[in-house]
Amino acid sequence: MQMIGGMDLTTMSLALSAILFSIGVVGVIVRRNAIILFLCIELMLNAVNLAFVAFSRTAGVDGQIFVFFVMTVAAAEAAVGLALVIAIFRHVESVDMKNFNLLRW
Amino acid sequence: MPVDLSSPADYALVMLPEIVLSAWAMFILLLDVFQKGSRSEPSSSSMPWLTLGGVVLAVIANAWIAGLQETGPAGMIAVDGFRIFVNFVFLLAAGMFVLISTRYIDEENLRLGELYVLILFATVGMMVFAGARDLMVMFIGLELMSLPIYVLTGINRRDRRGAEGALKYFLLGAFSSAFFLFGIALAYGGAGSTNLQEIALAIGVDGIGASTLLVVATALLAVGFGFKVAAVPFHMWTPDAYEGAPAPVTAFMAAGIKAAAFAGFIRVFFTAFPDLYGTWDAIAIWLAIITMASANLIALVQGNVKRMLAYSSIAHAGYLLVALAAASVLGAASFLFYSVTYTLMTMGAFGVMMVVAQRGEERLDLDAYSGLAWRRPLLGVVMTIFLLSLAGFPFTGGFIGKVFILRAAVERGLVLLAVVLVMASLISYFYYLRVAWYMWFREPDERTSDPPALAPGMMVALVFAAVGVVLLGVLPGALLELAERSAAGMLQIPAGLTRFVP
């Protein structure tokens, strides 16, 4: 097993994946721009991809196949999400969440 | 007929309802494109009836797969009573949607073929999500049901509220599916498989029950499901999406998506993590308590009927979480029974709300209901039935469903949850019966205009739902028994897998 800095590669990849995921979560919570929010969600999905690949070292090749599923779904989500951003931009001329105030939270 | 899911060809038999429905959806999508002369032309008026035809075909296919027996190892999709039962519920919701939406769609100039196609695809997604026996297939189902609903929420492009609701729903929905996916990854890492049965096996046999990966995985999956069922700390999108979406879509979301999300929630936690019950029961119990308490209290102060029904649907998620916390055959059976009554009464109540709201959803306030029962007796009577059932009044399906959930909770020893459920229902009487009180005992003011005559489809749907709700309240026996048998089928372990018994 390859060891780098006292940790094996799987643990390190998982740690990186958890960090990236957390950055995504924090981004979704603190940012107010719809596009940035969307990018943070993409970051979360890709952090999960990294976890899948890391686990596939021990759990079998399935994990690498799941990554393709996730990428496909993320692409479909991007198509729908950006279309919705455009739809609201036509009404409000803004992508800032604080301007979307017709509905109370 | 025996099927062996180790051979790919047999998947075509097992997934017949999903295949029929997706093929039909693609067929009407093409038909719509070729029928229209130009892009701006409204779709043919036969579209709703074609959609209904597809739903009927899927119902037949779904009844047919009840005769299949699984022989091989556990496949990626379940062949059990639970899946067949919930499939019928989703198809019921899709059928009701078509019936209640015809007039609304004409009035709002939404005669778009893709609207029906998206409803059918969302139904397929729900069926895949609730029937999957593999977390990855479940994820595909989750996205397949969510993406069409995001689009449907904002399908009225002239309406700013629709666009706003759709964007908020999309962002929070995608956020939650990322949590769900991370949960899948950790479960895969912890158990070495995404198959629900194999995860259960790994937890039991290897004695890795307390493995941190799997415990964190249950928590993340619960967050993902919590968003989809609209349980309270994760409910922020619900009132906005429900209010912004066109009313028939809201009805479909409130009934279908919720039933599907719960079916998946129950299947995953009952079949993959039964041995971890001691770690996830606290999540289910606290979600249930917070959801029931806060949703009912917020619903009390809503003057907008559409928003009130949105909070009512969150409150019902709380009741169903009690069934989840019970984690028994009885709990799953009570969910199944409740999902049928809930679909009927919620879609019925939204149907009446659409009629009263009139063109452009102008009248969503309580005053619009003043004296409705005397001006339009049919609407008044069916709405009263739906409201009483939502509140859980005796002799309605809602009452029997709640009693059944209470029984499951008490049998599990969750007395606190049972008490909270009863108290929450008592609070809910107030806001449901307030609408009924306006209908029967308030004089209409000068602003109140009579709603137009009912469209035939709406009439059929409302009468059908009202009769169904009353029948389930008076003669629940047959459906209760079917629900119990179906729930027991889900927990049966297919041949070829031996399960560790704690």
Side-chain angles (χ1 to χ4, degrees):
Chain A
M1 194 176 284
Q2 284 169 274
M3 300 284 282
I4 306 167
M7 281 198 288
D8 69 88
L9 202 54
T10 310
T11 319
M12 280 183 49
S13 319
L14 283 179
L16 178 60
S17 150
I19 291 168
L20 288 176
F21 192 85
S22 312
I23 294 175
V25 173
V26 172
V28 171
I29 292 169
V30 301
R31 298 302 293 265
R32 281 285 151 262
N33 182 312
I35 306 267
I36 304 271
L37 287 188
F38 183 62
L39 286 178
C40 290
I41 291 166
E42 291 290 308
L43 183 63
M44 291 164 71
L45 290 179
N46 284 310
V48 178
N49 281 345
L50 184 58
F52 270 127
V53 174
F55 281 130
S56 78
R57 286 164 65 86
T58 50
V61 77
D62 294 0
Q64 299 179 20
I65 298 168
F66 296 155
V67 171
F68 287 101
F69 280 84
V70 177
M71 277 159 56
T72 317
V73 167
E77 234 174 42
V80 169
L82 293 177
L84 289 174
V85 172
I86 291 173
I88 193 149
F89 188 79
R90 291 211 172 125
H91 285 287
V92 194
E93 304 252 309
S94 159
V95 289
D96 198 324
M97 297 299 283
K98 73 170 186 281
N99 294 330
F100 307 159
N101 47 14
L102 225 50
L103 301 165
R104 292 157 294 162
W105 277 90
Chain B
M1 196 171 141
V3 286
D4 180 2
L5 286 185
S6 54
S7 94
D10 280 6
Y11 273 101
L13 294 176
V14 168
M15 299 203 67
L16 199 64
E18 287 86 351
I19 293 172
V20 166
L21 211 54
S22 5
W24 192 266
M26 290 179 215
F27 163 70
I28 59 175
L29 183 61
L30 286 179
L31 195 73
D32 180 51
V33 172
F34 286 115
Q35 212 167 39
K36 281 200 267 198
S38 75
R39 219 166 64 85
S40 50
E41 203 176 300
S43 296
S44 141
S45 56
S46 61
M47 222 46 175
W49 313 119
L50 277 172
T51 314
L52 209 55
V55 171
V56 170
L57 282 181
V59 165
I60 295 169
N62 197 36
W64 181 77
I65 60 166
L68 298 178
Q69 267 105 37
E70 211 179 350
T71 53
M76 288 189 167
I77 195 108
V79 194
D80 55 22
F82 189 81
R83 166 169 171 238
I84 294 164
F85 194 109
V86 290
N87 278 358
F88 278 127
V89 177
F90 306 148
L91 292 167
L92 172 71
M96 291 273 288
F97 169 86
V98 174
L99 288 177
I100 62 174
S101 65
T102 44
R103 152 111 19 109
Y104 181 93
I105 283 170
D106 285 346
E107 277 179 357
E108 306 289 324
N109 291 324
L110 284 177
R111 272 241 315 261
L112 305 163
E114 58 266 35
L115 191 147
Y116 293 105
V117 174
L118 287 170
I119 285 285
L120 289 185
F121 278 134
T123 313
V124 174
M126 292 174 198
M127 288 158 86
V128 173
F129 182 65
R133 206 184 256 159
D134 186 288
L135 286 172
M136 214 54 215
V137 177
M138 201 164 221
F139 176 67
I140 304 289
L142 174 78
E143 292 298 324
L144 185 51
M145 83 176 181
S146 303
L147 289 176
I149 296 293
Y150 302 146
V151 178
L152 284 169
T153 305
I155 198 155
N156 191 352
R157 289 197 297 164
R158 288 170 294 278
D159 183 13
R160 186 182 144 183
R161 279 181 309 173
E164 228 181 277
L167 186 68
K168 286 177 181 173
Y169 186 17
F170 167 76
L171 287 173
L172 286 172
F175 186 56
S176 74
S177 42
F179 277 97
F180 186 77
L181 196 63
F182 205 32
I184 296 177
L186 295 187
Y188 169 69
S193 168
T194 50
N195 189 298
L196 299 182
Q197 243 84 33
E198 282 170 24
I199 293 173
L201 209 63
I203 294 174
V205 171
D206 299 340
I208 52 171
S211 140
T212 329
L213 279 181
L214 285 165
V215 172
V216 178
T218 54
L220 288 168
L221 288 172
V223 171
F225 282 121
F227 267 104
K228 282 294 156 198
V229 302
V232 156
F234 316 116
H235 71 293
M236 301 82 78
W237 59 272
T238 319
D240 290 350
Y242 281 21
E243 196 186 340
V249 174
T250 311
F252 183 70
M253 270 165 34
I257 296 281
K258 184 159 308 228
F262 262 108
F265 206 160
I266 286 179
R267 185 185 286 284
V268 169
F269 279 73
F270 285 21
T271 62
F273 302 117
D275 296 337
L276 291 183
Y277 179 70
T279 58
W280 62 262
D281 62 338
I283 306 180
I285 290 169
W286 283 106
L287 277 183
I289 291 178
I290 301 171
T291 307
M292 285 190 287
S294 55
N296 278 306
L297 289 176
I298 302 173
L300 277 181
V301 296
Q302 297 297 330
N304 177 322
V305 177
K306 201 175 177 186
R307 221 170 158 87
M308 186 272 277
L309 284 174
Y311 277 104
S312 133
S313 118
I314 301 176
H316 279 82
Y319 307 148
L320 288 170
L321 280 168
V322 177
L324 176 85
S328 58
V329 175
L330 213 55
S334 58
F335 154 72
L336 288 178
F337 182 84
Y338 207 82
S339 67
V340 177
T341 34
Y342 176 72
T343 303
L344 290 174
M345 63 201 184
T346 306
M347 296 203 77
F350 272 107
V352 175
M353 186 213 81
M354 275 159 55
V355 177
V356 175
Q358 301 186 24
R359 185 183 286 268
E361 297 191 28
E362 295 282 325
R363 300 301 310 267
L364 293 171
D365 51 324
L366 271 171
D367 285 324
Y369 291 80
S370 307
L372 181 74
W374 303 107
R375 288 179 286 135
R376 304 291 303 277
L378 177 70
L379 276 183
V381 170
V382 295
M383 187 61 166
T384 310
I385 292 175
F386 298 140
L387 290 168
L388 288 176
S389 180
L390 283 166
F393 196 75
F395 307 114
T396 59
F399 175 73
I400 304 287
K402 271 185 192 159
V403 169
F404 210 37
I405 291 179
L406 280 177
R407 204 178 88 191
V410 171
E411 225 157 80
R412 189 38 101 160
L414 303 168
V415 181
L416 172 68
L417 267 188
V419 172
V420 175
L421 200 162
V422 172
M423 305 263 285
S425 301
L426 287 178
I427 298 175
S428 77
Y429 270 79
F430 180 75
Y431 61 83
Y432 289 127
L433 294 187
R434 186 169 53 189
V435 179
W437 188 76
Y438 266 78
M439 286 195 305
W440 293 95
F441 303 115
R442 272 287 275 254
E443 293 296 319
D445 59 14
E446 67 286 351
R447 284 201 313 138
T448 312
S449 58
D450 254 9
L454 292 181
M458 176 70 96
M459 175 105 83
V460 170
L462 290 182
V463 172
F464 172 75
V467 170
V469 166
V470 174
L471 266 185
L472 288 178
V474 183
L475 303 164
L479 192 70
L480 278 181
E481 201 187 306
L482 184 66
E484 262 182 84
R485 246 185 307 130
S486 309
M490 175 184 70
L491 296 173
Q492 238 161 37
I493 306 307
L497 263 183
T498 48
R499 190 164 157 263
F500 174 79
V501 182

